[in-house]
Amino acid sequence: MSLQLRATPELVAAAWLKTVVGDRVATTLPKDNSSWAASGFCTLVVAGGTPNMYVPLRDPAIGVDCWAVNPQSQKPPWNRAAALVTAIEAACWDHPAIPQTVTLPTGYPQARVLSAYTVGEARRIHDDASSYARYSIPGLVIAWTEVPS
């Protein structure tokens, strides 16, 4: 018996964030920072939320960290990391563009994102030993449902 692949909060959040910041999103930061030094990178983790018990609607809170690095300097590029945060916030306010279908990896159903908004202000995270600039969005709430196949 094979299991049917189902959309997950991490997959949907990554797919939606890629529509905002491009292919610079994952659950972990790439070890080789040369691939994202020029543009920054976003990592995400499910931080909370409760699936709806009556309908197949999910609205998890996703913690998002926006990273930037300058390999030639020990000075963190704060403005580059902040630019990722502001792009995500602006996308949340672009209400006509939010209801959209996002494509998940091969084998997974598509998901329909119905709304996206942030809870809590992004904050600067200091004292990174690697001199990375990092802003943390405490909660990006994305309401979504699987698209029936």
Side-chain angles (χ1 to χ4, degrees):
M1 172 170 80
S2 65
L3 293 176
Q4 178 182 1
L5 298 175
R6 305 303 300 251
T8 67
E10 286 177 341
L11 290 173
V12 174
W16 186 79
L17 283 167
K18 285 178 182 180
T19 70
V20 178
V21 299
D23 197 24
R24 303 179 277 169
V25 179
T27 56
T28 57
L29 198 59
K31 292 190 186 310
D32 178 11
N33 64 25
S34 66
S35 65
W36 56 271
S39 56
F41 201 85
C42 296
T43 56
L44 60 97
V45 63
V46 176
T50 304
N52 189 298
M53 65 189 283
Y54 298 109
V55 296
L57 175 67
R58 310 282 294 268
D59 60 349
I62 308 294
V64 180
D65 286 327
C66 299
W67 303 82
V69 63
N70 182 351
Q72 284 73 43
S73 172
Q74 290 298 306
K75 184 179 177 190
W78 292 108
N79 290 340
R80 193 174 314 138
L84 292 170
V85 168
T86 57
I88 293 166
E89 291 170 338
C92 289
W93 293 321
D94 188 7
H95 301 289
I98 290 177
Q100 64 177 290
T101 300
V102 294
T103 301
L104 303 185
T106 303
Y108 288 88
Q110 292 183 323
R112 180 88 176 145
V113 172
L114 304 172
S115 67
Y117 60 94
T118 57
V119 290
E121 290 290 335
R123 61 188 178 98
R124 188 184 283 207
I125 307 297
H126 292 279
D127 298 326
D128 186 278
S130 57
S131 296
Y132 286 5
R134 175 181 164 206
Y135 275 85
S136 184
I137 300 172
L140 169 65
V141 178
I142 298 177
W144 62 274
T145 187
E146 278 188 2
V147 174
S149 51

